[in-house]
Amino acid sequence: MSWLADLSLDIRQGLGLAHKRDIAQVMKFLSPHSAEKIAMGDDCAAIPDADSYLLLACEGYLNDFVATQAWFAGYCGVMVNVSDIYAMGGRPIAVVDAIWSDGENQAKPLLDGLASAAQVYGVPVVGGHTNLRNDRPQLSVAILGRAQKLLSSFSAEPGQQLLAAIDLRGHFREPYLWWDASTGAPPERLRQDLEILPTLAETGLCAAAKDISNAGVIGTLLMLLECSGLGGAIDINAIPRPAGIDLERWLRCFPSYGFVLSVDAINSEAVIEMFEQRGISCAAIGKTDDSGRLRLKAGDEEQLLWDLNSEALIGCGPNRQD
């Protein structure tokens, strides 16, 4: 088996995609009850509201993460939700949190991290739920935002260029697959970097984007393609990557600032330039097509990663079976 085939298998069988497969299971129950005009499977629910959209999202965190990285888990409660709002072309309004712990001392680092990120990203915490009488710490955070025009996983079209924009000015929070380009960075810079996304939506330079999640850049692109009923090919060597970082590890990591976008070729150069002006690495890494098959390329070699025609990932595509 070739190196590219081994890499594709590792991505397919990785924990990041396994977590995303869980979505398909709950979709079977939620789809019949979802609002007719609200697509399910995007980074946020986009609820039409007069001439704009209310954006609503929620994140829950694994018990081990909350127990061992309490401050950073609280910080991520805001950071990750904020990224989801901007990935949809919106701007955040406020967050609420639900926290459980065995006493106040166990809750404190979670709340400290939450408060720090709220200040950094300029998003107030306006309420939530508290239980200090639980047997372990647990955390969930929800966010509300608003968009004038949407960036959506359902808006990609065949023949567009796939871009990856990632802030490489960070470091791994060893030994984890978390690329941290947020903590310690200037708050104003972080907020202005995120403003690129709603600007792209409002200027019409882009209509389809997604926040790179713990599924990594490849898994996140697969979700975007599934929602739009597309396939595509990705040149893994074109993906922006810090010097000295192993490719296989990088493809599986969750970056604190990372987005994939599907852009008309005529607009690609302008979109890349907007990120580059902010010091964000952005590159064209592939192209969409109507095959329903995602392939990875390296040099002259090509390897099928996933055939969405025969196997769904999150079950949110246009051809899903409810």
Side-chain angles (χ1 to χ4, degrees):
M1 186 179 290
S2 71
W3 168 79
L4 189 59
D6 285 339
L7 176 64
S8 298
L9 184 62
D10 287 344
I11 293 172
R12 277 187 58 89
Q13 296 180 345
L15 189 59
L17 284 191
H19 284 158
K20 299 307 178 183
R21 285 187 176 192
D22 293 345
I23 298 172
Q25 301 303 311
V26 301
M27 280 294 297
K28 297 175 184 177
F29 299 96
L30 294 181
S31 292
H33 307 288
S34 64
E36 183 178 347
K37 293 184 179 180
I38 301 175
M40 297 182 67
D42 241 325
D43 287 301
C44 303
I47 305 166
D49 183 50
D51 58 351
S52 63
Y53 297 87
L54 288 173
L55 302 178
L56 188 62
C58 179
E59 296 283 348
Y61 296 90
L62 296 173
N63 287 344
D64 286 348
F65 178 41
V66 176
T68 62
Q69 302 287 321
W71 185 91
F72 192 54
Y75 190 93
C76 286
V78 173
M79 179 186 74
V80 174
N81 271 304
V82 164
S83 186
D84 283 342
I85 293 291
Y86 279 102
M88 296 279 300
R91 296 176 177 88
I93 296 172
V95 300
V96 295
D97 69 288
I99 185 171
W100 296 261
S101 71
D102 184 8
E104 182 180 352
N105 288 339
Q106 197 176 67
K108 187 177 186 305
L110 282 168
L111 294 170
D112 285 346
L114 192 77
S116 293
Q119 185 174 21
V120 165
Y121 288 100
V123 184
V125 181
V126 297
H129 169 83
T130 303
N131 184 335
L132 302 183
R133 303 172 188 274
N134 199 40
D135 62 347
R136 72 195 71 184
Q138 294 177 300
L139 177 68
S140 179
V141 181
I143 191 166
L144 180 69
R146 184 179 294 278
Q148 299 303 314
K149 291 188 177 181
L150 290 178
L151 299 174
S152 172
S153 300
F154 294 87
S155 297
E157 297 180 359
Q160 292 182 326
Q161 287 195 336
L162 292 169
L163 309 184
I166 307 173
D167 190 347
L168 306 184
R169 298 166 294 187
H171 61 277
F172 275 116
R173 294 184 73 95
E174 301 290 358
Y176 305 101
L177 290 172
W178 310 328
W179 183 257
D180 181 6
S182 177
T183 60
E188 181 63 23
R189 192 195 81 196
L190 293 173
R191 294 193 290 268
Q192 289 302 311
D193 289 348
L194 287 165
E195 274 292 317
I196 298 172
L197 282 304
T199 300
L200 290 175
E202 292 162 9
T203 57
L205 286 173
C206 178
K210 199 164 185 65
D211 169 49
I212 298 176
S213 68
N214 61 351
V217 62
I218 303 297
T220 302
L221 274 168
L222 179 60
M223 290 188 287
L224 185 151
L225 294 173
E226 180 179 10
C227 288
S228 290
L230 299 177
I234 299 170
D235 179 357
I236 61 173
N237 292 318
I239 296 171
R241 174 167 49 117
I245 298 296
D246 177 72
L247 175 62
E248 295 182 33
R249 190 183 193 201
W250 183 246
L251 293 180
R252 293 184 292 122
C253 86
F254 159 66
S256 60
Y257 184 107
F259 301 91
V260 293
L261 309 96
S262 189
V263 179
D264 288 334
I266 194 172
N267 295 328
S268 182
E269 185 175 337
V271 172
I272 291 172
E273 178 63 19
M274 288 181 68
F275 285 103
E276 295 284 355
Q277 285 180 351
R278 297 289 313 167
I280 308 295
S281 296
C282 184
I285 64 171
K287 191 174 182 179
T288 63
D289 57 40
D290 59 5
S291 69
R293 303 166 77 246
L294 178 58
R295 292 96 61 205
L296 302 185
K297 300 176 68 175
D300 295 330
E301 187 178 357
E302 182 173 295
Q303 175 68 42
L304 176 67
L305 177 82
W306 202 288
D307 187 348
L308 291 163
N309 300 299
S310 58
E311 182 181 7
L313 176 61
I314 60 175
C316 298
N319 300 318
R320 72 169 186 254
Q321 296 179 354
D322 297 332

